Amino acid sequence: MARRGTVWSGPRIRDAVAVLLVALFALLPFPDETYRARGALLIPALLPVVAVLIRRRVPLIAVGLAAACLSVLASVGILAPSALLALSICAFAVVDLHGRGVGLSTVIAACGIAFAANGVALDGAFFDTTALQFVLLVALGGALGDATRSRREFAAAMTERAEQAERTRDDEARRRVAEERVRIARDLHDVVAHQIAVISLNAGVASSALSERPERAREALTTVRQASRTVLTDIGGLLSMLRADDRDADDPLAPAGGLADLDALVARFRRAGLRLDVRMPDALPPLSPARDRVAYLVIQEALTNVHKHGTGRAATVAVRSAPDAVLIGVANPVVATISTEVRSGHGLRGLRERVAAVRGDLRMSTGRGVFSLEARLPVEPEHAA
């Protein structure tokens, strides 16, 4: 049973085969007994074995050693197949490890040395078929080395591309999760923000009026109950929409409506104690479903901020038509010290993103104690004046 440390890997097996072949060609007569190395010449005939063993660590030195052994044996008239085979194997290693530039130069030089050495060993028969076959053997080693390097680089590129694609898929999945979280947060804010504001305000009214004006407290508690039912219904609709497979923008369970539902929205805020002056023409250019929903959200978010931050509990809502857009403006008195807080709220930031998503424009300004929110939503091109 072999131990783990003695298990031979692929490179070790290839080294062993290469060393065995080079040694056999050094000891056996090839192509005949005339070219067999004997005595002291066995040293340069067997020395290419060392070149084969060091070809991965120092391939250029290995090529030089094999070429030197070939030249020494050729100078005494011996054709050295062991050195030629070692030279071919080392040429393979040079091209494989050093690339095409250095490898091509080395292979050309090795082929020239092999051509000259074989011609000398064959008494000037430079174009003998045996000599040319050995030159082609060296060139073949370089070509195989280049093919191996190219295949390895191609495999590495494919692996890198696959890893990059995997990272891109992961990044895309994380981005979609983040977008979905933002969308859910926006919808949740749209559903509960103004209703919670109504509940909070009326709970405070009921608490302060309970002893002196019980009828006012009763009205406030009724408003709290209605707002609580509304927010529970809207949250249930939102959860149903999130669980559904088909999330159509026109889903009746969607938490927000359009400008057609503006009267109901205004009525809820009026019941909560706001004094609203609503100005809206009888006819408006038609908006796409997405822009109509955003128009509703603009007014809802603006009135919610009036409820939370306004000082006079009054606001003006104006919806107007322009040649190529529907203009929405909401203005209310506000304390100057909290105007920055109003403009930087999470709801307004999300609202700005929603308006931008439908190619609209949202502007907010504060002047002379009045906070103004203005939105411009483009109409469909075929309905633009």
Side-chain angles (χ1 to χ4, degrees):
M1 181 188 230
R3 284 182 262 177
R4 292 183 61 183
T6 60
V7 175
W8 280 35
S9 60
R12 289 184 178 180
I13 294 176
R14 289 193 292 270
D15 288 348
V17 172
V19 167
L20 180 61
L21 288 176
V22 171
L24 287 176
F25 277 108
L27 298 175
L28 296 178
F30 181 86
D32 54 48
E33 191 71 26
T34 307
Y35 301 103
R36 181 179 180 181
R38 296 179 179 84
L41 294 178
L42 283 175
I43 297 176
L46 290 174
L47 199 58
V49 170
V50 178
V52 171
L53 293 176
I54 65 173
R55 72 187 188 280
R56 289 195 182 91
R57 288 174 291 179
V58 282
L60 292 175
I61 295 177
V63 168
L65 178 60
C69 294
L70 177 64
S71 301
V72 169
L73 293 173
S75 64
V76 295
I78 295 179
L79 191 63
S82 61
L84 287 165
L85 181 59
L87 186 62
S88 178
I89 295 173
C90 294
F92 176 99
V94 169
V95 180
D96 184 31
L97 298 176
H98 284 283
R100 189 166 293 170
V102 175
L104 181 61
S105 303
T106 304
V107 170
I108 291 175
C111 289
I113 293 173
F115 178 77
N118 292 334
V120 171
L122 295 173
D123 297 328
F126 289 96
F127 295 98
D128 184 87
T129 56
T130 302
L132 293 179
Q133 287 174 5
F134 281 118
V135 172
L136 291 177
L137 178 64
V138 176
L140 178 62
L144 291 177
D146 183 69
T148 301
R149 179 190 54 80
S150 299
R151 184 179 62 183
R152 185 175 64 252
E153 291 179 353
F154 177 77
M158 290 297 100
T159 302
E160 175 63 24
R161 188 173 300 176
E163 293 175 352
Q164 180 65 31
E166 186 68 24
R167 288 193 296 269
T168 302
R169 283 195 297 269
D170 293 340
D171 294 341
E172 179 67 15
R174 284 192 291 269
R175 184 186 65 80
R176 290 186 178 182
V177 168
E179 289 180 352
E180 184 68 7
R181 287 175 178 172
V182 172
R183 188 186 71 83
I184 293 173
R186 288 174 180 168
D187 289 341
L188 188 60
H189 178 275
D190 295 340
V191 168
V192 304
H194 74 284
Q195 296 291 356
I196 294 299
V198 170
I199 291 172
S200 176
L201 180 63
N202 282 274
V205 171
S207 176
S208 61
L210 187 60
S211 58
E212 298 179 359
R213 299 179 59 190
E215 68 284 354
R216 182 70 182 91
R218 190 177 300 109
E219 293 175 1
L221 290 175
T222 301
T223 302
V224 169
R225 182 186 307 142
Q226 292 174 348
S228 300
R229 290 176 179 174
T230 301
V231 74
L232 288 175
T233 301
D234 288 345
I235 289 177
L238 175 62
L239 293 176
S240 299
M241 183 185 65
L242 293 176
R243 290 176 182 145
D245 293 331
D246 184 13
R247 297 178 183 175
D248 189 358
D250 298 329
D251 192 335
L253 295 175
L259 291 177
D261 302 315
L262 183 58
D263 291 340
L265 179 67
V266 170
R268 286 203 299 269
F269 279 102
R270 282 174 173 165
R271 287 196 301 269
L274 290 183
R275 298 189 306 276
L276 301 178
D277 179 13
V278 181
R279 304 168 188 174
M280 182 173 176
D282 295 333
L284 286 172
L287 294 169
S288 66
R291 288 169 180 158
D292 189 37
R293 182 168 183 260
V294 169
Y296 180 94
L297 292 174
V298 167
I299 299 174
Q300 176 182 278
E301 182 62 33
L303 294 181
T304 299
N305 279 282
V306 172
H307 212 304
K308 292 192 293 185
H309 304 291
T311 57
R313 300 187 56 76
T316 300
V317 179
V319 181
R320 308 186 307 277
S321 61
D324 59 347
V326 171
L327 306 178
I328 300 173
V330 180
N332 65 280
V334 66
V335 178
T337 56
I338 64 171
S339 61
T340 303
E341 177 185 351
V342 174
R343 297 177 64 179
S344 61
H346 293 290
L348 291 179
R349 277 205 302 270
L351 188 62
R352 189 187 297 275
E353 294 174 0
R354 284 185 181 273
V355 172
V358 295
R359 301 182 182 276
D361 182 39
L362 183 69
R363 294 191 300 271
M364 291 171 280
S365 62
T366 305
R368 296 182 179 180
V370 176
F371 176 76
S372 299
L373 183 147
E374 297 179 358
R376 179 184 177 278
L377 302 175
V379 300
E380 300 302 317
E382 60 270 18
H383 297 292

